[in-house]
Amino acid sequence: AYDGVVNTLTTLFLHNDYPNYYRAKGFEITYAQTPRSGFSAELYFKNETDYSLPNVTNFSVLLKNDTFRINPAINEGRLHELGAQAHGTFHLGFWKGTAGVQLAYADKAIGSDFSYLTGGIDLTLTGKAGGWGKTWIESSYNSILHGSLPNQQLFYFESRDAIIAPHDVFRTMSPLEFQGDEVWTVMYEQNFYDLPTRLLGITMPVDLHWLGFANVAGATITTASQRS
């Protein structure tokens, strides 16, 4: 939810928001194809060796008495992963949608220390809801289909303060991270434009938009992934 610049600044000055990290050495080969407008597909092969890393510093400009939490260890080893994904766009009247599907496979048969098969789908809809304004809905689902995921490959989603978060980030009142080998999210936003003030007969000197939103999500982890 927060990019590298924000994480760096809060870490440097506020002794806070220190992300998990590890070292990955290797390469990735990707082949992408767009056979027609509105549709794209991609195949890739990933070859990397993953290592745990300790905390490298405890420095902060402010709040010097605080300490960073210990950076968690990962499941070290070689990862050979084959993956495929496809995305497309479509139109339904006044609505525009995008949909995608993803698959990832790793196994000892292709030289990997980890074995798993995962799949995911996502769907986004944007359109007009008559006099109620503009509606935006985004949903995604990712899950382990076979095997177990190492710590560093778990699916995750982040939440962010609703006051400053963009609409494509899961919004709550606190920044948190949720991980699992089965993760799903549904996010809804309604842009009412100036409907509430117009109904009250109030004329605003600026182009004011009233936004409403609702988010639901879930994250679970299986026993197999907990033991990996």
Side-chain angles (χ1 to χ4, degrees):
Y2 296 96
D3 61 25
V5 174
V6 174
N7 273 325
T8 299
L9 292 176
T10 55
T11 298
L12 180 60
F13 290 98
L14 301 177
H15 231 134
N16 190 29
D17 210 12
Y18 207 47
N20 297 352
Y21 58 94
Y22 64 96
R23 174 174 293 167
K25 297 176 63 176
F27 63 87
E28 182 174 328
I29 300 173
T30 302
Y31 173 75
Q33 185 72 29
T34 305
R36 59 182 177 83
S37 177
F39 178 80
S40 63
E42 179 180 298
L43 298 172
Y44 69 86
F45 171 71
K46 183 186 296 183
N47 171 30
E48 67 181 39
T49 303
D50 298 337
Y51 307 91
S52 296
L53 286 176
N55 289 37
V56 296
T57 182
N58 202 40
F59 174 79
S60 182
V61 175
L62 304 175
L63 306 178
K64 293 180 180 293
N65 292 330
D66 293 342
T67 57
F68 294 120
R69 59 177 173 78
I70 300 299
N71 188 50
I74 65 166
N75 300 108
E76 297 183 333
R78 177 187 298 166
L79 173 64
H80 283 180
E81 181 181 282
L82 290 169
Q85 56 184 359
H87 287 88
T89 60
F90 58 91
H91 294 269
L92 295 172
F94 294 107
W95 291 77
K96 178 182 179 180
T98 62
V101 59
Q102 307 88 35
L103 289 171
Y105 168 76
D107 195 81
K108 291 180 172 57
I110 57 173
S112 179
D113 291 333
F114 312 107
S115 297
Y116 57 79
L117 174 65
T118 65
I121 55 174
D122 57 78
L123 175 66
T124 301
L125 292 172
T126 304
K128 296 180 179 179
W132 292 100
K134 188 176 182 179
T135 301
W136 173 85
I137 302 172
E138 182 177 274
S139 60
S140 66
Y141 176 79
N142 294 279
S143 179
I144 185 79
L145 303 176
H146 178 73
S148 61
L149 288 175
N151 292 343
Q152 64 271 26
Q153 297 298 325
L154 290 172
F155 303 113
Y156 71 93
F157 68 93
E158 295 175 305
S159 66
R160 188 168 175 177
D161 189 312
I163 303 301
I164 59 175
H167 74 262
D168 57 349
V169 172
F170 194 89
R171 287 175 282 186
T172 62
M173 293 309 295
S174 300
L176 297 169
E177 183 178 280
F178 303 87
Q179 290 182 302
D181 56 13
E182 182 181 31
V183 169
W184 59 272
T185 61
V186 178
M187 296 181 286
Y188 164 80
E189 180 184 271
Q190 185 69 38
N191 186 342
F192 295 99
Y193 299 109
D194 63 343
L195 178 62
T197 49
R198 278 193 291 113
L199 291 176
L200 294 174
I202 301 174
T203 301
M204 303 296 294
V206 295
D207 186 15
L208 185 65
H209 288 207
W210 293 85
L211 301 176
F213 69 90
N215 302 324
V216 293
T220 58
I221 186 167
T222 63
T223 303
S225 291
Q226 286 177 326
R227 292 174 178 174
S228 66

